[in-house]
Amino acid sequence: MKKKKSIPPSDDVTTFREVLASSKNIIAVAGAGLSAASGIGTFRGAGGMWRKYDAMSLATPEAFEENPSRVWQFYHYRREKALKAKPNAAHEALAKFSLPDIREKVAPDSTFTLITQNVDGLSRRALDSVVPSVSSPSLGQPTMLEMHGRLFDLLCSSHSCNHCEVNFNSPVAPALGGTEELVEAGTIEPNIPTSDLPTCSKCGSLARPGVVWFGEEPHHMDAIDELVEKADLCLVVGTSSTVYPAAGYAYDVKRHGGKVAVFNLERSCGDKDGDFLFLGPCEETLPEALGLE
């Protein structure tokens, strides 16, 4: 018996738009590549170093317990980068596509949710600029789910409190001010006393960044699983599909008969699930494909 020959993904925008027009339950799964044009770098893979440390090793509860000063300096650095950044055309395209009145023109009678792994808040800012609410009142479903949390959330490290609040202060604590510049200068990191690090406004305990670390469960998993199960079109935007569970969503949509369109700068292991593959900067390819350029 001959092995069935796989069909390479298409890069035909016209055909993609035909699929888009007939889709009813659409999701987008976004990763670090979505924010690349905004100047937000990735800490994964090649170049994923911060000072002399593997940045991924700092994204764990164990690292925070061992050295909260170092971990907070890392996240303060990331917060400052994100505060200076602006949403790019890909963020804006997804935000506009979230609006039923706009989406109706290219995908009539459809629903849409952005599932983002990014913690930089740029998708939220883009969405807030075009829609006053984070959910669609007429459809009753979330417009965006930030599965890995947010850089600008402060979470109390005391399990008896667990208070969480939004904080856009720059710096997030006075003692962290200027430490982001020491990174660029290659200066030895200061050892900041725990008492000078961010604290919970409710109980006064040490606060931690409100992001999901390795070993912790992502947010909104039940809602995401339900959306993935219903989806008939999955847009994979700026992610190499290596971090689970998000890496498996396109496969799940494909498995139950849906279509997958991948928007990445270069080839990745997630291409195998793609019916469509649009290579290039997603701030260019995504608005064009969605008919929002």
Side-chain angles (χ1 to χ4, degrees):
M1 183 176 177
K2 282 188 176 181
K3 186 177 180 180
K4 188 176 180 180
K5 189 176 181 180
S6 61
I7 301 174
S10 169
D11 62 357
D12 185 77
V13 172
T14 301
T15 306
F16 169 74
R17 287 184 179 173
E18 291 173 357
V19 170
L20 184 67
S22 64
S23 299
K24 299 304 177 186
N25 297 294
I26 306 166
I27 62 172
V29 181
L34 174 61
S35 295
S38 298
I40 305 293
T42 177
F43 288 99
R44 179 172 301 281
M49 300 294 289
W50 180 79
R51 289 197 169 115
K52 62 181 179 180
Y53 309 104
D54 174 3
M56 293 299 99
S57 71
L58 301 177
T60 68
E62 293 78 16
F64 186 70
E65 183 176 354
E66 179 182 344
N67 196 327
S69 170
R70 178 178 299 154
V71 172
W72 256 122
Q73 287 176 66
F74 172 55
Y75 280 94
H76 166 72
Y77 176 81
R78 295 182 65 184
R79 282 171 60 100
E80 294 300 305
K81 286 282 189 184
L83 281 171
K84 292 179 175 66
K86 294 181 179 180
N88 62 56
H91 292 115
E92 292 166 359
L94 290 169
K96 291 175 182 176
F97 194 70
S98 299
L99 300 178
D101 289 348
I102 291 179
R103 193 172 60 254
E104 181 75 17
K105 300 172 184 177
V106 292
D109 303 316
S110 64
T111 66
F112 173 71
T113 298
L114 168 60
I115 301 166
T116 180
Q117 303 169 80
N118 295 338
V119 297
D120 53 41
L122 293 177
S123 289
R124 174 71 58 183
R125 283 161 57 185
L127 184 59
D128 288 346
S129 71
V130 298
V131 61
S133 172
V134 296
S135 62
S136 172
S138 61
L139 299 172
Q141 88 172 49
T143 304
M144 180 173 67
L145 294 173
E146 295 165 294
M147 65 183 298
H148 288 168
R150 298 182 289 200
L151 281 174
F152 300 102
D153 281 353
L154 286 188
L155 177 63
C156 182
S157 63
S158 171
H159 296 301
S160 61
C161 178
N162 275 333
H163 176 67
C164 185
E165 64 183 48
V166 179
N167 181 303
F168 288 99
N169 291 347
S170 173
V172 62
L176 290 166
T179 59
E180 75 280 7
E181 297 172 4
L182 300 180
V183 176
E184 309 293 349
T187 306
I188 296 174
E189 68 180 274
N191 185 16
I192 301 173
T194 301
S195 58
D196 291 337
L197 294 174
T199 57
C200 173
S201 64
K202 186 175 181 181
C203 75
S205 297
L206 177 65
R208 53 162 279 186
V211 299
V212 176
W213 283 332
F214 290 105
E216 298 178 331
E217 182 176 346
H219 300 319
H220 315 297
M221 289 306 299
D222 289 344
I224 291 172
D225 288 344
E226 185 176 336
L227 288 166
V228 171
E229 184 62 32
K230 293 191 304 183
D232 54 7
L233 175 61
C234 176
L235 312 178
V236 177
V237 184
T239 176
S240 57
S241 298
T242 55
V243 181
Y244 285 84
Y249 295 153
Y251 171 79
D252 290 340
V253 171
K254 183 93 169 179
R255 181 172 51 84
H256 64 241
K259 299 293 186 182
V260 174
V262 179
F263 298 83
N264 270 336
L265 190 60
E266 54 193 20
R267 298 299 299 257
S268 73
C269 61
D271 297 353
K272 63 183 183 301
D273 297 319
D275 298 283
F276 298 92
L277 175 61
F278 300 102
L279 294 177
C282 60
E283 66 273 14
E284 297 175 6
T285 59
L286 187 62
E288 180 189 3
L290 294 178
L292 300 173
E293 70 273 64

